[in-house]
Amino acid sequence: MERTFIAIKPDGVQRGLIGEIIRRFETKGFTLVGLKLLNVSKELAEAHYSVHKERPFFPGLVEFITSGPVVAMVWEGDGVIAGARKLIGATNPLNAEPGTIRGDLGANIGRNIIHGSDAPETAQYEIGLWFTEAELVNWTPTLMPWVHE
Ligand code: IDP
Ligand code: MG
């Protein structure tokens, strides 16, 4: 089963969107296997966004992600990496389709509410960066036969 790393950024937490966002992943049929609320250190933020370290928005991005609590999650499911990106929508909420999290809930690229891994290698790196193995729960929801044939 595929796993992906999802984070509700400080704007999503401050705006009271935690429940709304988790609901969308749950009702889609993905399985929550890791969850924690934390203040992100500068080191973790820089490691998480290391691919963007040469970009002009990098310092502001690190400052933003460390500015308040973040909800870090791991979700599991068939095709969950690409599927979560679909639920999340385009990076700029102004271009994100209605029906997506960013399309429905966001209005600015610097406040786009949520992060999702963009590929299998990224998901593996990010899950290992944010969670220990002991923090991840292996379980199968009893409703699974009604989600997957
Ligand atoms: P993604 O979050 O959709 O994968 P990335 O291109 O990986 O988008 O960028 C990572 C994050 O960096 C974005 O979610 C957003 O918070 C921030 N970001 C990206 N481009 C810009 C920009 O042009 N201005 C400000 N922030 C940006
Ligand atoms: Mg990205």
Side-chain angles (χ1 to χ4, degrees):
M1 226 11 140
E2 195 169 277
R3 288 180 171 181
T4 194
F5 173 73
I6 300 293
I8 305 174
K9 299 179 182 182
D11 53 336
V13 175
Q14 295 287 357
R15 290 176 54 202
L17 297 174
I18 297 171
E20 167 70 24
I21 290 167
I22 289 179
R23 184 190 62 79
R24 291 177 181 230
F25 285 87
E26 275 188 316
T27 54
K28 178 69 175 171
F30 295 137
T31 303
L32 184 64
V33 297
L35 173 70
K36 60 185 171 185
L37 177 75
L38 72 162
N39 284 312
V40 178
S41 67
K42 191 157 185 275
E43 294 67 37
L44 176 56
E46 287 177 349
H48 175 75
Y49 281 124
S50 58
V51 292
H52 297 302
K53 64 175 179 291
E54 307 302 340
R55 308 285 282 278
F57 57 81
F58 181 76
L61 181 57
V62 169
E63 193 179 337
F64 170 55
I65 289 298
T66 57
S67 68
V70 165
V71 173
M73 298 179 278
V74 177
W75 287 88
E76 186 177 88
D78 272 343
V80 69
I81 299 171
R85 295 279 296 188
K86 287 255 183 203
L87 290 183
I88 289 170
T91 302
N92 187 339
L94 289 176
N95 301 329
E97 294 295 328
T100 64
I101 292 165
R102 286 168 174 166
D104 287 348
L105 307 175
N108 182 267
I109 191 164
R111 297 288 183 271
N112 65 1
I113 305 165
I114 182 166
H115 167 86
S117 308
D118 62 5
E121 315 76 60
T122 333
Q124 199 184 356
Y125 169 71
E126 292 173 356
I127 291 168
L129 185 64
W130 289 76
F131 286 89
T132 66
E133 195 56 47
E135 289 174 323
L136 300 175
V137 178
N138 296 307
W139 68 296
T140 304
T142 54
L143 56 64
M144 211 35 110
W146 304 103
V147 175
H148 282 281
E149 66 173 6

